[in-house]
Amino acid sequence: MLRQSRKLQHINQALRLYKTHQDSTLLSEIKLLHNCLPELGLSDISLETEFLGKMIAAPLMINAITGGSDDVLEYNRRLAALAARLNIPIAVGSQFSAVEKQEMRYTFEIVRELNPNGVVLGNVGAHADSSQAREIVNMIDADALQIHINPAQELIMSEGDRDFKGYLPNILAIASALDVPVVAKETGCGMAAAEVQKLVDGGIKYFDIGGAGGTNFLAIESARADIQLETEFLNWGVPTAASVLQAGSALGKDDCLIATGGIHSAMHIAKALALGADMASMAMYFLELVHRQADTEACAAEVEQMLLDLKKIILLSGCSSANQLRNKKLYIGAQLRHWAELCGLVAQQLSEQRR
């Protein structure tokens, strides 16, 4: 029997750990204010939004999961078909393996083949050069390129990098060399305001904060390497809700903030949008969905129910669209307030910073 690829090992470990850390996102610290007189009907609520120059059905993305080996091809096929059916964006996993091994390109190309008109994002690490980045974009005719930043994962991974000098100038060099936008993406430890500001100052306008509390690559890599990390180290990072606030404090109205990390429900999406995110994204929710259900229509029905629930939450908040949620007052708990104070936000600014 063939040895499982690292990609499949990641998937298997991620499925095993699914939802084991969701309380650490701090999304539970947010409460939306009920409006008992919304003066709206459910048919008035719209989720449609524009992203990367295309209209999409909802502010929700299937985030980077996999590709680059034969044993994960079926996951990308199912995810691409689902993205096309729902008209929501999809990001592939790191394509660097397909730069090194041309025979693996088809495991990524299938995403564009099955979703020819949709929003598709490429993905590569911050170590790539501009030529490799262009190749990766062209491989799937990507609408944007995620550059993933994952020093914590690399340090735990036995075969990972140990030197992260030069990441910032390299990201900016790639961005200036491409004809499509770059999305700065963390992979599960979140982003703080200071680092986001450095990227903003360099011209980056799209951010996927990948907060702590979602897919835990420290736990995945320590399990793969059969090593034990102390609990506090395993939970390293800026929680998702705190990272949305931290990143949002550095961004302007024309920038784009994508909330990722432990988002599994309509309520999670609504809270992230109310806190200032422009979109929410999920990786494990969609991976678990297509893992247990091969039929695209059945998968789509589950997601559509979640999006219907999101519409109900928007209505009960007195809004007619998803982006209006950020105009509503929020109850925010003490832990999240403390995180906000680290970047200079005070209570009355928490739900107003990116209006």
Side-chain angles (χ1 to χ4, degrees):
M1 186 172 72
L2 292 174
R3 183 179 66 87
Q4 289 182 348
S5 69
R6 188 173 78 190
K7 302 290 186 181
L8 187 56
Q9 290 174 6
H10 282 164
I11 285 174
N12 290 338
Q13 289 292 344
L15 287 167
R16 183 179 66 82
L17 295 169
Y18 182 45
K19 291 190 177 182
T20 58
H21 295 83
Q22 59 182 331
D23 288 345
S24 58
T25 64
L26 294 188
L27 290 167
S28 61
E29 291 274 289
I30 305 162
K31 302 294 181 186
L32 302 172
L33 190 62
H34 173 58
N35 185 332
C36 68
L37 294 171
E39 292 296 323
L40 292 164
L42 194 57
S43 62
D44 298 320
I45 312 303
S46 173
L47 297 181
E48 280 193 331
T49 190
E50 185 177 333
F51 181 55
L52 295 171
K54 296 179 181 179
M55 291 303 298
I56 57 175
L60 176 65
M61 181 168 74
I62 301 175
N63 215 334
I65 295 176
T66 195
S69 64
D70 291 321
D71 52 10
V72 298
L73 173 65
E74 180 62 13
Y75 285 112
N76 270 359
R77 188 195 67 76
R78 295 183 188 182
L79 291 165
L82 182 60
R85 166 65 178 75
L86 294 168
N87 186 27
I88 59 174
I90 180 171
V92 301
S94 176
Q95 295 166 260
F96 199 76
S97 59
V99 173
E100 296 179 311
K101 296 181 179 179
Q102 297 287 307
E103 65 270 21
M104 288 295 105
R105 290 171 64 104
Y106 75 100
T107 67
F108 299 102
E109 291 169 340
I110 192 172
V111 175
R112 177 55 83 186
E113 289 170 10
L114 294 178
N115 193 11
N117 301 313
V119 177
V120 177
L121 285 76
N123 184 301
V124 74
H127 63 283
D129 61 36
S130 297
S131 176
Q132 291 166 335
R134 279 192 293 270
E135 180 181 351
I136 281 166
V137 168
N138 293 336
M139 190 186 303
I140 56 171
D141 190 21
D143 296 281
L145 177 65
Q146 290 182 335
I147 299 182
H148 66 258
I149 309 166
N150 62 335
Q153 178 189 3
E154 294 286 346
L155 287 173
I156 304 305
M157 194 189 313
S158 58
E159 67 272 44
D161 294 334
R162 299 293 183 265
D163 188 345
F164 311 101
K165 294 187 289 290
Y167 268 21
L168 177 60
N170 196 51
I171 292 169
L172 301 183
I174 291 172
S176 65
L178 296 182
D179 296 326
V180 299
V182 155
V183 181
K185 172 185 172 54
E186 237 289 352
T187 64
C189 290
M191 290 182 167
E195 288 68 51
V196 172
Q197 188 64 61
K198 290 177 182 178
L199 289 158
V200 168
D201 291 344
I204 304 298
K205 299 184 72 64
Y206 291 82
F207 293 84
D208 182 342
I209 53 97
T215 304
N216 189 328
F217 278 104
L218 301 187
I220 289 170
E221 296 299 351
S222 61
R224 283 185 63 237
D226 196 25
I227 59 175
Q228 197 149 16
L229 296 180
E230 59 180 283
T231 302
E232 217 170 341
F233 196 177
L234 278 175
N235 294 322
W236 177 268
V238 183
T240 297
S243 192
V244 170
L245 285 176
Q246 287 269 320
S249 71
L251 301 185
K253 292 181 179 179
D254 295 331
D255 299 321
C256 181
L257 176 57
I258 303 168
T260 309
I263 294 177
H264 304 303
S265 68
M267 189 63 73
H268 286 166
I269 297 170
K271 288 179 177 183
L273 297 175
L275 209 55
D278 298 282
M279 289 182 59
S281 74
M282 302 171 167
M284 283 308 307
Y285 169 89
F286 286 109
L287 178 60
E288 191 277 335
L289 179 59
V290 301
H291 176 74
R292 64 177 161 82
Q293 177 59 262
D295 182 68
T296 299
E297 286 303 314
C299 290
E302 289 196 36
V303 180
E304 285 167 346
Q305 180 59 55
M306 179 175 64
L307 294 177
L308 178 59
D309 289 344
L310 177 59
K311 284 187 175 184
K312 293 174 182 177
I313 294 166
I314 291 170
L315 184 151
L316 291 173
S317 300
C319 302
S320 60
S321 65
N323 62 10
Q324 288 181 7
L325 283 171
R326 70 171 58 181
N327 297 323
K328 309 305 290 187
K329 292 184 182 296
L330 302 173
Y331 167 83
I332 296 178
Q335 285 191 73
L336 191 52
R337 286 172 183 263
H338 290 322
W339 276 99
E341 289 167 2
L342 289 176
C343 58
L345 291 174
V346 293
Q348 63 265 31
Q349 293 176 308
L350 295 184
S351 60
E352 300 175 358
Q353 56 176 326
R354 295 191 62 232
R355 288 185 184 177

